[in-house]
Amino acid sequence: MSVLAPDRLVTTAPERGAGRTRSLAWLVVLGIVLAALNLRTAVTSVGPLLDQVSQALGMSAVATGLLTTLPVLSFAVFGAVTPSLARRVGEHRLLLGALVLLGVGLLARVMIDSTFVFLAASVVALSGGAIGNVLIPTLIKRHFPRRTGPMTTLYATALAVGTMLAAAATVPIQRAADGNWHVALGVWAALAAVAAIPWLALLRSEPERFSGRDAAGPRALVRTRLAWAIAGYFGTQSLVAYVMFGWLPQLLQDRGYTTGQAGVSLAVFSALGIPVALAVPAIAARVRSQRPMIVGFAALYVVGFTGMLAGPASTLWIWVLVVGVGMGSFPLALTLLALRTRTPEVTAALSAFGQSAGYLIAGAGPIVVGVLYSSTGGWTLPFALLFAVVAAQVATGWYAAGDRYLEDELA
């Protein structure tokens, strides 16, 4: 039995001593936090420099559009195969490999000025992020089965910090490097290298791999309501997030905000994810039912969207903050992955299915909103779509937050 087997890690001292167990436990915690900081750097570091990168590489409009679509496609495709890879390779080894892919991809895409190389290397980097998305909830369930709330809080908070850090620091790094965007994008590979260190140390403590019958494969999950409810909730909240990150600056500028003011508002909107991520998972893990939280976040969306659409421009920032708090639906979705399963193997399967299907749903959001905005020249129809998405979020979240486990539906 591995010294990191969940029951022993949490409740008893293994043969080599309680001190070693505690040290390994803290090493796993450090590894999860550092890995989470990296999962979005390949995505959010590009946005602030997208115009410069596309001009420098001579990207066509099609190539630029493909670059902005690659994250959701990669998260869906590579996330789907992660449980199968973990069974073959091992969870610790696979997460280490994911961080290596992330770092290599980040570095390779700035080494050669080529559109093809940039896109291909971005896929490599994003594949590492996609694998980490699915693996970390599984590792939390395996190593900290009685601490899923606090550990998901750490994970979601680190994810939010990493997302904001890459978005906020890339431009200042570029300026410090005399305008060199290669340095500004490539420097994030160093963070991936640092994150790999704890997992190198944990290679000898690889958990035993599940060798039983695969009762939680994709075909089995497709037949369960809970898996689809999780996927629907994850997808609808991600759709709202992608729409807000992609179109909020345009909305603010249409209402009279300057480019600088719109940028500051988006930064504050993103920063709200940190305190929200600190609170939501711990609360969700303690309460008997998460349904009031499902409805509460949806209500914040409705109030915020109504204010954005119909309120005066002078109060628009208030409604941006309201929607920002409503984005607590994301850490809640991550928490539900652990709360609705009993074993790490089923957690991995649900994480892969929910996130892969969810990101495919989310990827359509910014495109559809763009079509509606361009065809009408206004925001009424885009917000009508968002209200419909929130209604679907409540319906799927209500079922997902019920007192049930995926293992029971699979049986």
Side-chain angles (χ1 to χ4, degrees), residues 89-98 199 203-204 206-207 209:
V89 177
E91 292 162 358
H92 292 181
R93 294 186 184 93
L94 184 57
L95 187 53
L96 175 61
W199 298 105
L203 283 181
R204 294 184 178 180
E206 180 68 55
R209 297 175 217 172

Side-chain angles (χ1 to χ4, degrees), residues 33 36-37 40 44 149-169 245 266-283 297 321 323-332 334:
V33 170
L37 285 172
R40 296 292 184 273
T44 56
M151 285 303 302
T152 305
T153 295
L154 279 176
Y155 167 42
T157 303
L159 188 61
V161 170
T163 300
M164 187 191 69
L165 184 65
F245 283 120
L266 182 60
V268 173
F269 175 82
S270 302
L272 270 177
I274 298 174
V276 171
L278 279 169
V280 171
I283 295 173
F297 288 132
L321 296 180
V323 174
V325 178
M327 294 296 294
S329 56
F330 175 66
L332 177 58
L334 292 177

Side-chain angles (χ1 to χ4, degrees), residues 293-307:
M293 301 179 72
I294 298 287
V295 175
F297 288 132
L300 289 171
Y301 281 142
V302 171
V303 172
F305 291 156
T306 302

Side-chain angles (χ1 to χ4, degrees), residues 72 234-240 242-243 357-366:
V72 291
F234 199 97
T236 52
Q237 63 81 24
S238 295
L239 187 151
V240 172
Y242 277 107
V243 168
Y359 280 121
L360 287 177
I361 294 170

Side-chain angles (χ1 to χ4, degrees), residues 145-216:
R146 301 180 185 179
R147 301 289 186 271
T148 56
M151 285 303 302
T152 305
T153 295
L154 279 176
Y155 167 42
T157 303
L159 188 61
V161 170
T163 300
M164 187 191 69
L165 184 65
T170 297
V171 172
I173 292 173
Q174 182 208 22
R175 291 172 180 167
D178 295 326
N180 191 325
W181 63 265
H182 299 81
V183 174
L185 295 183
V187 71
W188 299 106
L191 184 61
V194 172
I197 295 174
W199 298 105
L200 279 170
L202 287 164
L203 283 181
R204 294 184 178 180
S205 302
E206 180 68 55
E208 291 181 355
R209 297 175 217 172
F210 180 63
S211 58
R213 181 176 177 270
D214 184 15

Side-chain angles (χ1 to χ4, degrees), residues 36-110:
L37 285 172
N38 283 271
L39 296 185
R40 296 292 184 273
T41 54
V43 180
T44 56
S45 62
V46 174
L49 301 178
L50 182 59
D51 288 341
Q52 295 182 39
V53 172
S54 59
Q55 291 177 13
L57 298 181
M59 283 187 180
S60 64
V62 173
T64 304
L66 177 60
L67 178 61
T68 59
T69 309
L70 281 179
V72 291
L73 294 177
S74 298
F75 289 163
V77 172
F78 293 104
V81 301
T82 296
S84 178
L85 292 174
R87 286 193 296 271
R88 290 179 173 86
V89 177
E91 292 162 358
H92 292 181
R93 294 186 184 93
L94 184 57
L95 187 53
L96 175 61
L99 292 169
V100 170
L101 287 173
L102 180 60
V104 168
L106 288 171
L107 194 60
R109 69 181 183 180
V110 299

